[in-house]
């Protein structure tokens, strides 16, 4: 899985996105992670907890290949999954420090 420690200016829901292929507009493997404003937040997301998505819509019938990890992305997005909205999203400036990121 992926272990991530971040510090954001306020409480936020972020998307931790992985890609196991070079195709940027292909399937992305997404987990929603919660940060707590002003405090370092550490999350550990097992591979099995990533949801396959394409343009924030869930995709069925695909399998993640962690041995082929190609990209890691952290996104503050207005959208959750399948048309849902991120309840913590606010337009405007957003600040966050990535303190560490690793696999386990």
């Amino acid at each position: 899985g992926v272990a991530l420690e971040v510090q954001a200016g306020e409480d936020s829901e972020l998307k931790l996105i992985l890609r196991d292929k070079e195709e940027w507009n292909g399937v992305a493997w997404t987990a929603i992670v919660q940060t707590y404003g002003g405090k370092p937040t550490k999350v550990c997301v097992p591979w099995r907890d990533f949801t396959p998505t394409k343009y924030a819509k869930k995709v069925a019938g695909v399998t993640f290949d962690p041995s082929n990890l190609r990209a890691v992305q952290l996104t503050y997005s207005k959208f959750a999954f399948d048309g849902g909205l991120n309840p913590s999203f606010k337009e405007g400036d957003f600040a966050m420090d990535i303190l560490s990121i690793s696999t386990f």
Side-chain angles (χ1 to χ4, degrees):
V2 176
L4 172 72
E5 187 172 13
V6 298
Q7 185 167 345
E10 54 190 72
D11 292 0
S12 304
E13 276 189 10
L14 305 173
K15 288 181 181 177
L16 176 58
I17 300 171
L18 308 178
R19 296 182 188 275
D20 62 350
K21 297 194 175 25
E22 297 289 334
E23 180 184 0
W24 189 253
N25 290 324
V27 173
W29 299 87
T30 306
I32 304 293
V33 297
Q34 179 69 46
T35 67
Y36 300 97
K39 301 178 198 172
T41 302
K42 186 168 188 177
V43 295
C44 296
V45 184
W47 301 125
R48 69 180 175 276
D49 290 350
F50 284 88
T51 300
T53 61
K54 192 167 185 176
Y55 302 111
K57 295 180 182 168
K58 294 179 183 176
V59 175
V62 292
T63 304
F64 179 64
D65 179 4
S67 70
N68 201 38
L69 183 60
R70 294 289 181 241
V72 177
Q73 177 181 345
L74 199 55
T75 302
Y76 180 52
S77 175
K78 180 177 181 176
F79 302 101
F81 294 128
D82 296 330
L85 296 177
N86 176 350
S88 72
F89 183 81
K90 297 176 191 163
E91 290 189 27
D93 293 342
F94 176 79
M96 174 184 57
D97 293 320
I98 298 174
L99 305 175
S100 68
I101 187 165
S102 61
T103 59
F104 62 90

